Amino acid sequence: MDEDLLFRALADPVRRMLLDRLRAEPGQALGALVEGVPMSRQAVSKHLAVLEAANLVAVVRRGREKLHYLNPVPIQEIAARWIGTFERERVAALVDLKSKLEGEDGKA
């Protein structure tokens, strides 16, 4: 996983909006994704290409149509590596604090 590419892809608000739309309604074609977006098809297509390169969007071809699907795996990997690591340390610190406040035998 190229984390730099992934974080760059997630840094753009338009790309995050596209990911939100794919999460809400998987399997959308470019035409559906362009609806309601104040930019050209070409601009949305470029944003989708960045998301595909970062492995955040998977594409399935159905005839001449490309259907786009959110791939949550890279986001989960980020959560496990970055957020999960910090969470473990915080929980361990709270357990230690609780033990010290209650005493070693668990009685206050």
Side-chain angles (χ1 to χ4, degrees):
M1 170 175 65
D2 184 348
E3 288 180 358
D4 289 337
L5 188 59
L6 184 60
F7 282 116
R8 269 184 267 143
L10 290 171
D12 187 278
V14 171
R15 291 193 281 267
R16 291 193 307 269
M17 181 268 308
L18 290 171
L19 292 174
D20 286 339
R21 291 179 68 179
L22 290 173
R23 181 177 42 89
E25 189 179 333
Q28 293 186 59
L30 178 60
L33 288 168
V34 169
E35 288 178 18
V37 178
M39 59 179 51
S40 67
R41 284 177 67 93
Q42 185 178 10
V44 172
S45 184
K46 285 182 181 183
H47 282 294
L48 286 170
V50 171
L51 292 170
E52 286 179 51
N55 199 27
L56 288 166
V57 169
V59 174
V60 175
R61 292 196 179 271
R62 188 177 66 192
R64 294 172 47 184
E65 200 172 41
K66 280 175 65 174
L67 302 178
H68 300 85
Y69 293 88
L70 171 66
N71 178 13
V73 173
I75 296 170
Q76 180 58 39
E77 289 173 350
I78 288 173
R81 178 175 177 197
W82 294 95
I83 299 167
T85 301
F86 297 118
E87 187 66 21
R88 281 192 298 268
E89 292 173 8
R90 185 183 68 82
V91 171
L94 289 173
V95 169
D96 288 344
L97 178 61
K98 181 179 185 270
S99 296
K100 288 177 184 173
L101 291 174
E102 292 178 345
E104 292 301 316
D105 58 2
K107 297 178 185 172

